[in-house]
Amino acid sequence: MTAHNVAAYLVPTADPHLSEYVADHWKTGRWASGFTGSAGTLVLLADQAGLWTDGRYFIQAEQELTGSGIDLFKWKMPGVPEIADWLCAQLPAGSTIGVDGRQLSADQGRRWQQQFEEHELTLRGDLDLITPIWIDRPALTFNPIRQHNVHFAGKTVAEKLTEIQQEMAKKKADCYLISSLYDIAWLFNLRGSDITHCPVFNGYALIESQRTKLFLATDQVSTEIKQALEQDGIDLFPYETCSDALSSLPPESTIFVDLQRTNFFLTEHLSHQTRLITGKELTARPKALKNETQLKHWHRISILDGIAMVRFLKWLEENRTVTECEAADQLERVRRSHPECLDLSFSSISAYGPNAAMMHYSPRPTACATLQPRGLYLIDSGGQYEGGTTDITRTWALGPLSNEEKTDYTLTLKGLIQLSACRFLKGATGANLDVLARQPLWEAGIDYKCGTGHGVGHFLNVHEGPQNFSQSMKSDAELEPGMVITIEPGVYKQGRHGIRLENMVEVVEHQQTESGTFYTFKPLTCCPIDTAPLKIELLAPRDIDYLNAYHQQVFNLLSPHLTPTEKDWLARKTAAIH
Ligand SMILES: [Mn+2]
């Protein structure tokens, strides 16, 4: 910092594509501070340091920062300053603040830049002070890139590009820069393995009206893929050269950029003559509207995933005293035993008793609980299949339950059913419907401090926008037929128990009347829901009808693929309740 004459240095934990999960190479904040949470920014001054993180990580950060000399700043809590306000108060006018702008969104960088300028401070986005001192920094990963066959994707690259170029024309943009790895993988029907559990590869795309530049590890692409891309007007360039291509855009060209999904370093390479049009990623909606081919495969692999879940749950009932890690490993083995399952879609949350009250709990072999034949066990997991990505949560009774556990479980199921079964008018967003899943819990004075559901990628990231069900992160994206979304209400009581039930559903048309078009949800997830914990008197007749019909369908779809003993077990688990 002294050598570069910077008074403050910021260390975010993010990759240059602002990905949800980042490769180890980009876990700079973690390396520098010891804090292992996924969201945090370390701020270093000459003689003090602070780490800003959000409410999910306060307890963990307090523990991990003990003795480090780094102060914890509880982001958004009363009286806690924002990073920029704090820096403006600490630093004398004329100071420079440095950051590796590849780890910062352009949106954040530009807002900070403006605020700093008002205080006569300068923000430099081209300063990587970490690489020279992080001696064993993991190398960036560039694994082989492969084609995602159109038999699974349902649309050719040419079709998708034409669609995007039409959107660009509407925005009067000469070119469009995409940094989001999920959007790039989707658009070019390519997949990689550069990020754990997410089949993407490091790359950028610069789409023009006639040609497209794709920046990636050119030595990781086969000649066959190169030729296919060339035929679609796509030229390949080395991954590192994207910033140069931006600097050398023709003067006064107009570029479309999603500033929240593009890093600050890249936008700093645009000439002042370049005209910027900003907005949400043009690929977001077409990517979210799954086509018939994708959905056909998705329903098919949901059955494969359901078979794995049934085998696992049956095994669980026969092995009620394993550890959380052993249970997660067993499910992974069963799931991966099908050749179409290529990976997990995230590391499983396998949580017994009070551990399930921690929403993001992940057991470690050195520190995980042993199950016992009583109480509730929660397993949230998923698989990556070429035909789709899955995400499912079940909470299972391992034996006797408390009255409170039964009530909470039943209300959670009511929430899942109320939202799953609802009919809604075209134009509704997830935020309009979110309350349906919460209402049975709200009536009992219970709330869960997270969204009710998220969109899901197709053989991509398990969390995908633009649609969601949320109170606090409201999306303005309307729910449209072809969208896939999770419904996952829950109850989280610290030190007592955690419950979550999660199904993936598809938005489908229900009917058209003189009032308009109505939609509803059709389940993709095909797996029994434990009826043992239910307090049937808390369910309405229509809740019971929905559950029985769902279970009938689960039995019909799964039983032809099961052994006689598995089939008997499933028949018991899906038996109608009255
Ligand atoms: Mn989920």
Side-chain angles (χ1 to χ4, degrees), residues 414 417-418 421-423 539-548:
K414 257 178 108 70
I417 292 174
Q418 279 195 19
C422 85
R423 278 94 196 241
L539 296 174
R542 58 183 295 177
D543 300 331
I544 294 173
D545 290 345
Y546 185 94
L547 182 64
N548 288 342

Side-chain angles (χ1 to χ4, degrees), residues 346 380 391-393 453-454 456 462-463 486 488 500 502:
F346 56 97
D380 184 350
D391 185 6
I392 170 174
T393 310
H454 52 84
V456 184
V462 67
H463 302 135
T486 66
E488 45 182 312
R500 177 163 64 255
E502 173 181 29

